[in-house]
Amino acid sequence: MAAARRLKRAAVSQPGFLGLKSNVEPSDLVSSRRKRVNKNKKKNWSKHSDINDVEDFLEDIRHQERTTGGLLSEKPDDTLFFLDVGQTEKAENKEPEPVQGEKGKRRVQRPLRIDLILQHDSKVPPPKNVTAYQQPNAKKLRRIAQKAEQLAAKGVLPRRQKRLLNRRPADKTVKKAEANNNPDREFYSMWGDKEEEVTDPADPWYLQQTGKRVVPRPEKLNQKPSVLPAVEVIAPGGSYNPDFLAHQALLQEAHDVEVQKQKQEDKLQRQLAVRKEDRATEETILHEQVEGLVEDEDEEDAVAPNEDEADSAVAAIAVAEKKTERQRKKEKAEKIKVQLRQASRRQTEQQQQLFQLRSIKSSIKQQELKTKSRRIQRKARQEAQKAQPRRLGKLKFQAQDLEVQLSDELAASLRQLKPEGSILKDRFKSLQKRNLIEPRERAKFKRRLKVKYVEKRAFRQIT
Amino acid sequence: MGGTQKKKFERGSATNYITRNRARKKLQLSLPDFRRLCILKGIYPHEPKHKKKVNKGSTAPRTFYLLKDIRFLLHEPIVAKFREYKIFVRKLRKAYGKTEWSAVERLKENKPTYKLDHIIKERYPSFIDALRDIDDALCMCFLFSTFARTGKCHVQTITLCRRLTVEWMNYVIASRSLRKVFISIKGIYYQAEVMGQLITWLVPYQFSHDHPTDVDYRVMATFTELYTTLLGFVNFRLYHSLNLVYPPKKLAALSASLARVVSTAEEEDAQLDQFPTEEEDLEKAEAREKEQVQLETQKKIFEGLKFFLNREVPRESLAFVIRCFGGNVSWDKSVCIGSTYDVTDETITHQIVDRPNVDKRYINRYYIQPQWVYDCVNAKVLLPVEDYFLGVTLPPHLSPFVEEKDGDYVPPEKLKIMALQRGERPEDEEEEEEDDEEDDEEENEDDEDEAEEKNLKEMEKQKSQGKSLQVKVTPGKMKVENPVRLEQEEKAEEKRLAIMMMKKKEKYLYDKIMFGKKRKIREANKLAAKRKAFDDEEKAKKKKTKN
C-alpha cells in the first residue's frame, strides 16, 4: 500500500500531470498530510528514502542486457533499423536464383537471416553443464565397484536397500470384519477348560489410565428381573387332544375372563344410564309446560318458611357476654377437681393392673397374633407382587387372551390341527411380563408438515 | 442459613434413578440404538418403590433406569460401533444421492460390524449360568428358524438360527436327554435334562404363519442376535463335552448316525458308576443304581424298532423324538433329503400314518397314528398299539408337565398308564373293563342317587382311613369276609372311643383336618362321576351308531 502511494506521488510529481481536480496544484497533493520524519538518523535512511527511480533504471538496464544483448543505446544503427527503399527488379531476380543454383558455397559465405535472428545475443551467458565436461575416471570407478562387492560379500547392504527393506510391506489381504449373524461363523471355547487368569498382571493404575481396565459388571445386574420362568407350559386342557375335564377347566377359565369383561362393560353402562327419578313423567311434563302461565298462592307460602329459618340462624350468632369473676373462679375450681379425680383414677388403675395381668397377657397375645398374621399376609402379597409385571412406562401390561379351542374346533387328528395363537406374540408378551422390556405400542405415523389438498383445475370447473 | 439447608430430591432414591431420555442423552445415542444396547447388555428398567420421590413429586408414568447401570454402559465398546454405523449410513445415503456408485461399493465393502462375544462372557461367566438362560434362547431360535426367507428379517439370521437349532437337536439325540413332549394347540413343548438342568422349549408348527402387527420386530431381532451367539457357544461346549466335532457336517436331515460314537462313551460311564463311594449307605447306593438302570432302560424304549413316516405327519418332530430314544426312522425320498430306507423295506416295524386309511398294507408292521410315539415317550413305556390304530378314537393326549398330588383327580387314562408302568399286564385291564360294564348295568337298575352316595361314602372312608393321623387302621376292602369284618368293626369302635376322649382343642383340630381332606376327596369323586357320565354318553352314542 505504501509502495502504491509512493508510485502515485512519483507520477503526480511529474511536470504536466493533470489531476481530476484541475484547480488543485500537484504540489499541494503531494506535500499535504505527511508526517515529518528526521532523515538524519540511520534508522530512517532506508525506511523513508525513495529509491524507486534508481531501481527502475537499473532494472531496465539489466533487462536490456538479458534480452537484446547489450544496451540499445550502444547498438549500431543498422542492427535496429533498415531503410525501406522498395524492392528493385534486380533484387527479385537475384533471390530465387541463388537458392536454385549452387547452395553450398553461397551458404557458407552469407549466413541465413533466420539463423542470425535466432542466435543467442544476450550478454548473460548460458550456464555451463559441468557434468558434460566430466570424464569418468576408470580407476576410481573400478575401486568403487570392488568395495561394493566386498561389502555385499560381508552382508552389509547399501543404504538404499536398507531403507527399502525397512519400509512396511503393503497389506494386500485386508481382514474383513465378520458380521455377527453370518451363518457360517465360527464359535470357540468360551468357558475354557483351564483356569485363565481373569485379571491382567499389569499394574492396575496403568490399566486405568490407558483405558484398558475391564470395568466389572455391577452385582445387581446378575439378578433376574422376575421370578417367572422363561417358558410357561400351557394347562393340560391346551393339548391338541385334551382330556375332557381338563378342557372343561380351561374353558371355564376363559369363560371367567369373558364374564369379567362383560361385567365391566355393564358397570359402565349402568353408570352412564339415566336414573329412574330423572326420567320425565306426564306430571312433570305438564308442570313444565304450564310454568309461569298460572298464578299460584303456593309461591307466597313457599317464601315465608324460608325467612323463618333465616331468622333463627341469625339468632344463634348472639353476642357473647363477658364472664364475671365468680364464673372464672368456679371454672378454675372445677378444673382442679377434674384433674384430681383423674389422677386418683390413674393411681387406682395402676394398682389394679397387677390383678389384671392375665387379661393383659391375653390381650397382648392377641395383638401379637394379629400382627403376625398381618405380616404373613403382607409378605404373601409382596411375593405375589413379584410375580406380577411391573409398571415400567406409559402403558400398562395387557395380558394376552388364553389360547383355547372350543369343543367343536378341536381337531380329530394331528393332520387337521389348526394352531391357535402366534408364538411370536407369545414370546413378546412373555418378555414384557418378565420385565425385560417395557410394554410398547406401535409408533403412529406422524407427519411433520400438513398435507394440502388442492383440486385439479378440471375438477374445479366441474364442481 | 441458605447454603446449609437440605434441598428436596437431591439425595437418596431420587439420585439413584435416571429417566430413559436422560440416559439416552448421556450416552449420545438414538432411541432405537439405546434400546438395542440395553437389550444386548441385559440392562432393564426398574420400577422404583416410591415413585413420587424419584419423579420429583409428580406421578407421571416414566421409565426409570438405575444410574449405576447407565454409568456401566458408558464403558461399553459397542457404543462406538453404533456411532460408526450411524456415520456409515449417512455416508452411504450421500453417495447414493450423488450417484457415486464406486463410493457406494467401497462403503458397503467396509461396513462396520460388531461382535457380541465379550458381552456373553460378561453376562454368563460360567457355563451353568448360560445353561440356565438357554430356554429363552432356544425358543427364539426355533421361532426364527420357521420364518419365511423373505426380506423382512435378515435371511442370514434365519439361516444361522436354523443351523443352531439343528445342532442342538442333534446334541439332544446324541446325549439322549429328552424327557417330556407335549403337543398343544400353540406348538410342541419339549423338556430335556442337560447337565442337571431341566430345559423347556417351545417349537411352533411349521405351517402356522400369521405375523401380528403389534410385535416390535426390531426388539425381537436384537434378542435373537444375542441369543444366537449364546446358543452357538453353548453348542460348542456341549459338543466338546461329548467329544464330538463342532461344527458337525451334513446335519440337515438329522439322519447322521453320530449315536454310534456316543453309545460307547455311555457304556464306559455306566461301568464307572458301579464303584460305591460310600460303603455305609449301601441301601442308598442300591437305590441309586436301580434308578440309574431304570433311567437307562427308559432312554432306549424305541431301540430295535424301525419306523417309517408317511408324508402327512410332522416329519422333523417325529424324527427327532424317535431318534432320541434309539429308534431308526426314515421317510419318503421325495419329501426331504436324508431318507435311509424306502416304504417297501420289509424290516419296518411301525409305519406312522395320519390318514383314515392306507391303500397298501404290509403284514409285518403296525399302522399307527403319531400320538402313539409321544404318549410312549411321556409314559416311558411302550403303550399297547391297539388304541392308536387308524380310524380309532385316540385316548386323550395328557400333559406330562402336570404333577398330581394325593387326593387330586387323576384321569383314568393316566391310571392305566401308571398301571402299565408298574408292569401289570393288559389282561387285568380287560377284566376291569368288564367289571365296569357290570357295575354300570347294576346301577342302571337301582336308584342312581343312592348308589352314588353309597359309593362316595365308602370311598371317603377308605381314603380317610388310609391316611388317618393317630390310629392305625388296616385299609378296608370292598368285598369283605365275616371275621375280617368283625375285626374291622372292633377297630372302628376303638377309634370312635379315642376320638371321644380327645381334648376339645385337639378334637377341634382333628375335625378341621378331616373336613379339609374329606372335601378334597369329595371333589375328586364329583369329577370322577362327571367323567363317568360323559363316558356313558359316549358309549350310548356308539351303541346307537352301531345299531
Side-chain angles (χ1 to χ4, degrees):
Chain A
M1 206 164 69
R5 252 189 264 142
R6 254 185 267 149
L7 274 173
K8 269 195 215 159
R9 270 186 235 129
V12 161
S13 57
Q14 301 285 338
F17 178 81
L18 270 177
L20 282 169
K21 293 189 186 169
S22 45
N23 51 349
V24 176
E25 296 263 75
S27 50
D28 291 333
L29 286 165
V30 171
S31 54
S32 64
R33 270 197 265 144
R34 201 196 289 183
K35 199 176 175 185
R36 292 219 172 178
V37 186
N38 190 5
K39 279 201 188 155
N40 296 331
K41 300 272 175 177
K42 201 177 186 180
K43 221 198 222 176
N44 297 331
W45 289 349
S46 54
K47 245 207 227 173
H48 294 282
S49 53
D50 205 7
I51 52 166
N52 280 339
D53 41 355
V54 177
E55 291 280 337
D56 291 337
F57 177 70
L58 287 172
E59 182 59 41
D60 192 37
I61 289 176
R62 274 184 237 129
H63 185 255
Q64 282 177 24
E65 283 193 357
R66 259 204 327 266
T67 47
T68 55
L71 293 172
L72 281 174
S73 48
E74 288 168 12
K75 279 210 176 152
D77 281 343
D78 52 349
T79 53
L80 294 171
F81 309 103
F82 72 96
L83 199 60
D84 192 8
V85 180
Q87 276 191 339
T88 53
E89 287 179 28
K90 265 195 192 173
E92 285 176 25
N93 293 336
K94 263 190 186 176
E95 281 180 41
E97 280 179 40
V99 177
Q100 286 173 14
E102 307 150 36
K103 289 176 193 173
K105 290 180 191 172
R106 290 279 170 103
R107 252 216 176 155
V108 171
Q109 284 174 13
R110 215 168 37 144
L112 285 176
R113 175 153 245 120
I114 192 166
D115 288 335
L116 288 173
I117 294 170
L118 286 174
Q119 248 176 21
H120 176 76
D121 60 348
S122 157
K123 270 222 174 155
V124 181
K128 238 180 12 174
N129 184 6
V130 184
T131 51
Y133 291 104
Q134 283 178 344
Q135 274 183 338
N137 190 346
K139 216 181 183 183
K140 210 177 186 182
L141 285 172
R142 231 185 301 133
R143 213 183 328 136
I144 290 169
Q146 273 175 5
K147 262 211 178 141
E149 267 175 55
Q150 281 171 11
L151 285 175
K154 268 200 227 165
V156 178
L157 296 166
R159 237 172 250 147
R160 260 248 164 116
Q161 299 286 332
K162 264 197 241 168
R163 289 190 72 202
L164 271 177
L165 287 173
N166 282 347
R167 254 205 273 163
R168 204 160 47 112
D171 248 336
K172 291 262 168 84
T173 55
V174 177
K175 226 186 177 184
K176 217 170 141 182
E178 219 188 34
N180 199 36
N181 59 356
N182 185 14
D184 303 318
R185 65 162 288 176
E186 297 283 319
F187 292 101
Y188 51 87
S189 169
M190 174 165 279
W191 303 279
D193 302 312
K194 54 185 189 305
E195 282 300 310
E196 301 158 15
E197 39 187 34
V198 180
T199 49
D200 221 339
D203 183 30
W205 172 254
Y206 162 76
L207 287 173
Q208 191 195 7
Q209 288 299 301
T210 51
K212 290 186 191 158
R213 186 176 81 129
V214 174
V215 181
R217 196 177 162 89
E219 274 303 313
K220 255 203 174 169
L221 285 176
N222 293 336
Q223 292 167 0
K224 287 211 175 147
S226 172
V227 298
L228 295 170
V231 180
E232 287 172 3
V233 185
I234 197 173
S239 158
Y240 92 102
N241 181 7
D243 176 40
F244 172 68
L245 287 166
H247 188 234
Q248 293 294 313
L250 194 61
L251 284 174
Q252 181 71 27
E253 271 183 50
H255 171 76
D256 288 339
V257 168
E258 288 296 315
V259 161
Q260 282 291 102
K261 274 198 221 162
Q262 193 63 34
K263 267 195 191 168
Q264 292 283 329
E265 278 188 32
D266 287 343
K267 188 172 170 194
L268 260 173
Q269 289 296 324
R270 250 181 294 134
Q271 285 175 339
L272 292 171
V274 181
R275 284 188 299 175
K276 275 191 188 160
E277 305 98 58
D278 295 341
R279 230 175 272 166
T281 56
E282 284 189 21
E283 221 182 78
T284 51
I285 293 172
L286 193 66
H287 188 83
E288 203 188 318
Q289 284 176 346
V290 149
E291 241 176 25
L293 296 175
V294 182
E295 285 179 11
D296 270 338
E297 293 112 25
D298 297 314
E299 291 180 41
E300 294 171 11
D301 290 331
V303 174
N306 287 343
E307 288 179 356
D308 287 338
E309 285 169 21
D311 281 341
S312 58
V314 168
I317 317 169
V319 178
E321 293 173 17
K322 225 180 169 189
K323 283 190 200 168
T324 52
E325 283 275 342
R326 250 202 207 164
Q327 273 192 323
R328 276 190 224 268
K329 272 194 204 156
K330 241 195 203 173
E331 277 179 10
K332 258 196 202 158
E334 273 182 36
K335 231 194 208 176
I336 293 169
K337 247 199 226 169
V338 163
Q339 275 180 358
L340 276 171
R341 213 188 305 152
Q342 279 185 350
S344 68
R345 220 189 184 180
R346 250 180 271 143
Q347 269 235 324
T348 47
E349 260 188 43
Q350 274 188 356
Q351 282 172 354
Q352 291 299 326
Q353 266 180 8
L354 257 176
F355 304 109
Q356 290 170 354
L357 269 176
R358 223 190 274 171
S359 59
I360 290 172
K361 249 195 202 173
S362 65
S363 69
I364 289 175
K365 239 194 227 175
Q366 271 194 8
Q367 275 181 10
E368 270 183 11
L369 274 173
K370 250 199 222 169
T371 47
K372 241 194 225 174
S373 66
R374 274 212 207 121
R375 202 191 305 160
I376 293 168
Q377 274 180 10
R378 208 185 308 144
K379 280 245 167 78
R381 223 183 298 145
Q382 272 184 4
E383 293 294 315
Q385 271 285 314
K386 275 195 197 163
Q388 291 279 332
R390 318 246 100 236
R391 179 75 189 273
L392 295 167
K394 209 162 46 156
L395 299 170
K396 272 201 184 147
F397 170 70
Q398 296 278 355
Q400 53 175 166
D401 308 324
L402 281 172
E403 280 110 2
V404 134
Q405 278 188 340
L406 303 173
S407 315
D408 44 353
E409 286 174 5
L410 283 175
S413 76
L414 195 54
R415 184 170 48 104
Q416 293 158 354
L417 171 64
K418 195 163 178 282
E420 188 83 22
S422 145
I423 293 201
L424 185 62
K425 200 165 181 187
D426 168 68
R427 290 273 100 217
F428 189 59
K429 288 283 177 185
S430 161
L431 290 170
Q432 283 176 4
K433 212 180 191 183
R434 283 181 281 146
N435 306 324
L436 297 177
I437 51 180
E438 60 201 33
R440 281 184 71 211
E441 222 175 35
R442 195 195 171 94
K444 279 179 258 176
F445 178 66
K446 279 193 201 158
R447 278 190 194 275
R448 280 218 198 128
L449 309 160
K450 272 200 292 187
V451 176
K452 263 198 211 172
Y453 290 100
V454 178
E455 270 185 338
K456 273 195 196 173
R457 198 170 261 262
F459 283 121
R460 235 187 279 161
Q461 284 176 356
I462 296 169
T463 53
Chain B
M1 177 151 143
T4 50
Q5 258 189 347
K6 269 196 200 176
K7 283 200 184 150
K8 252 187 169 182
F9 309 124
E10 263 185 9
R11 16 162 157 241
S13 47
T15 50
N16 290 343
Y17 289 90
I18 184 175
T19 62
R20 189 193 63 190
N21 279 336
R22 279 254 175 91
R24 192 174 64 79
K25 283 199 191 127
K26 199 175 168 83
L27 289 162
Q28 297 175 329
L29 286 175
S30 67
L31 186 58
D33 277 343
F34 174 73
R35 253 193 257 274
R36 197 176 304 149
L37 183 66
C38 284
I39 290 171
L40 290 176
K41 289 285 275 184
I43 287 178
Y44 312 119
H46 279 257
E47 190 188 11
K49 265 196 200 157
H50 306 284
K51 231 190 206 172
K52 256 192 164 180
K53 276 195 206 169
V54 173
N55 214 354
K56 309 227 171 111
S58 94
T59 48
R62 279 218 181 93
T63 317
F64 290 104
Y65 290 83
L66 285 170
L67 188 61
K68 280 196 182 157
D69 295 349
I70 302 297
R71 269 206 225 121
F72 173 62
L73 272 182
L74 285 168
H75 299 284
E76 177 57 43
I78 282 192
V79 176
K81 293 283 182 177
F82 282 161
R83 294 188 193 131
E84 272 178 33
Y85 189 78
K86 186 173 95 165
I87 292 168
F88 160 76
V89 166
R90 190 196 302 160
K91 285 189 186 165
L92 194 65
R93 208 185 316 133
K94 266 202 200 162
Y96 259 106
K98 292 187 187 172
T99 61
E100 290 170 3
W101 303 118
S102 59
V104 166
E105 284 300 315
R106 175 178 47 89
L107 284 167
K108 275 194 183 167
E109 262 175 55
N110 300 334
K111 182 174 171 175
T113 54
Y114 54 84
K115 280 266 170 92
L116 297 175
D117 304 353
H118 63 286
I119 292 185
I120 303 282
K121 180 74 184 171
E122 175 198 301
R123 278 179 80 168
Y124 307 107
S126 77
F127 181 55
I128 296 293
D129 296 329
L131 266 189
R132 279 197 207 114
D133 261 0
I134 206 82
D135 288 12
D136 228 348
L138 281 171
C139 286
M140 283 294 222
C141 287
F142 271 99
L143 174 63
F144 265 70
S145 63
T146 58
F147 278 178
R149 283 164 216 222
T150 58
K152 256 204 159 179
C153 15
H154 287 219
V155 181
Q156 287 196 324
T157 313
I158 296 176
T159 323
L160 181 62
C161 285
R162 182 114 189 100
R163 168 191 150 195
L164 290 170
T165 52
V166 169
E167 283 172 8
W168 165 263
M169 286 205 278
N170 211 45
Y171 168 78
V172 174
I173 290 174
S175 64
R176 306 277 177 99
S177 339
L178 191 66
R179 300 281 179 263
K180 295 182 184 171
V181 186
F182 181 42
I183 307 180
S184 73
I185 47 182
K186 256 168 66 166
I188 308 184
Y189 288 88
Y190 295 98
Q191 190 177 71
E193 189 180 341
V194 175
M195 302 209 173
Q197 300 283 331
L198 284 174
I199 296 173
T200 319
W201 72 96
L202 171 61
V203 177
Y205 289 115
Q206 292 283 350
F207 40 84
S208 64
H209 272 302
D210 52 334
H211 283 254
T213 47
D214 50 350
V215 171
D216 194 345
Y217 276 96
R218 248 184 284 187
V219 163
M220 305 299 267
T222 317
F223 270 107
T224 309
E225 218 183 310
L226 174 73
Y227 286 146
T228 49
T229 326
L230 174 65
L231 187 55
F233 283 110
V234 165
N235 275 349
F236 183 92
R237 176 66 182 253
L238 289 172
Y239 270 64
H240 271 253
S241 71
L242 285 181
N243 295 328
L244 296 170
V245 163
Y246 186 87
K249 295 159 199 155
K250 209 209 157 193
L251 268 194
L254 277 186
S255 67
S257 48
L258 284 160
R260 268 184 243 139
V261 180
V262 178
S263 54
T264 48
E266 279 182 9
E267 281 168 22
E268 289 172 22
D269 282 15
Q271 283 169 10
L272 284 168
D273 278 346
Q274 283 167 13
F275 290 104
T277 46
E278 303 141 22
E279 290 183 5
E280 334 157 334
D281 293 28
L282 269 176
E283 291 178 15
K284 275 194 187 170
E286 273 180 27
R288 241 188 297 136
E289 269 187 47
K290 257 192 188 173
E291 273 182 44
Q292 279 265 334
V293 167
Q294 211 185 30
L295 205 64
E296 292 295 313
T297 49
Q298 280 166 9
K299 284 187 193 172
K300 298 178 187 166
I301 47 175
F302 291 148
E303 202 130 304
L305 303 178
K306 256 184 153 184
F307 290 84
F308 188 82
L309 306 175
N310 235 15
R311 284 164 200 272
E312 66 273 355
V313 302
R315 180 185 50 84
E316 266 203 37
S317 164
L318 276 171
F320 173 56
V321 172
I322 292 172
R323 300 206 100 256
C324 266
F325 288 88
N328 292 325
V329 63
S330 177
W331 48 85
D332 206 56
K333 270 192 207 140
S334 53
V335 172
C336 185
I337 53 162
S339 72
T340 36
Y341 44 85
D342 204 20
V343 190
T344 48
D345 195 339
E346 297 294 322
T347 49
I348 295 179
T349 51
H350 296 76
Q351 181 160 348
I352 310 219
V353 184
D354 210 357
R355 294 182 205 162
N357 47 24
V358 189
D359 298 334
K360 186 173 181 198
R361 290 204 178 218
Y362 291 79
I363 310 170
N364 294 348
R365 55 177 91 156
Y366 294 116
Y367 287 81
I368 43 177
Q369 304 193 32
Q371 200 184 309
W372 180 78
V373 175
Y374 297 114
D375 283 345
C376 284
V377 166
N378 285 335
K380 300 194 180 59
V381 123
L382 284 179
L383 296 173
V385 193
E386 295 82 33
D387 302 331
Y388 297 89
F389 278 153
L390 303 181
V392 174
T393 325
L394 293 169
H397 178 63
L398 302 165
S399 166
F401 293 98
V402 168
E403 303 288 335
E404 270 115 8
K405 292 166 241 172
D406 298 328
D408 278 353
Y409 167 72
V410 179
E413 284 83 18
K414 184 117 193 204
L415 290 168
K416 256 198 234 172
I417 289 171
M418 292 197 320
L420 269 174
Q421 281 175 342
R422 271 177 263 132
E424 289 176 13
R425 277 169 292 154
E427 290 161 7
D428 296 330
E429 289 176 29
E430 288 178 17
E431 283 181 18
E432 282 180 28
E433 282 180 20
E434 287 175 14
D435 288 339
D436 282 339
E437 286 181 8
E438 285 177 14
D439 286 336
D440 286 343
E441 289 172 4
E442 280 180 23
E443 280 183 12
N444 287 337
E445 292 169 0
D446 302 354
D447 272 347
E448 290 181 1
D449 295 331
E450 282 183 7
E452 273 189 27
E453 273 212 20
K454 253 197 205 172
N455 278 341
L456 277 170
K457 275 194 187 158
E458 284 189 42
M459 286 204 268
E460 270 181 31
K461 258 197 207 162
Q462 267 183 31
K463 292 205 178 159
S464 58
Q465 282 173 2
K467 298 166 189 173
S468 67
L469 288 167
Q470 294 146 332
V471 184
K472 276 194 186 164
V473 181
T474 54
K477 297 174 194 166
M478 288 284 279
K479 295 172 187 170
V480 154
E481 293 159 310
N482 275 333
V484 184
R485 217 185 201 179
L486 278 170
E487 252 191 73
Q488 197 197 14
E489 277 179 26
E490 265 188 57
K491 290 213 171 127
E493 273 278 336
E494 278 176 31
K495 190 185 173 195
R496 252 177 272 138
L497 277 168
I499 289 172
M500 273 198 291
M501 288 206 297
M502 271 200 286
K503 290 190 197 161
K504 216 184 188 181
K505 265 193 216 169
E506 291 170 25
K507 177 118 200 303
Y508 179 61
L509 268 173
Y510 175 72
D511 279 341
K512 257 191 158 178
I513 292 168
M514 292 313 286
F515 179 73
K517 279 210 181 132
K518 282 187 187 164
R519 182 169 35 151
K520 241 194 180 178
I521 292 162
R522 197 168 268 176
E523 278 183 18
N525 293 332
K526 248 198 236 167
L527 287 173
K530 249 199 196 174
R531 178 61 194 271
K532 223 181 180 185
F534 177 69
D535 283 340
D536 291 340
E537 272 183 47
E538 294 283 298
K539 273 193 193 161
K541 271 194 215 164
K542 272 195 197 161
K543 281 186 188 161
K544 277 189 192 166
T545 52
K546 271 190 196 167
N547 297 340

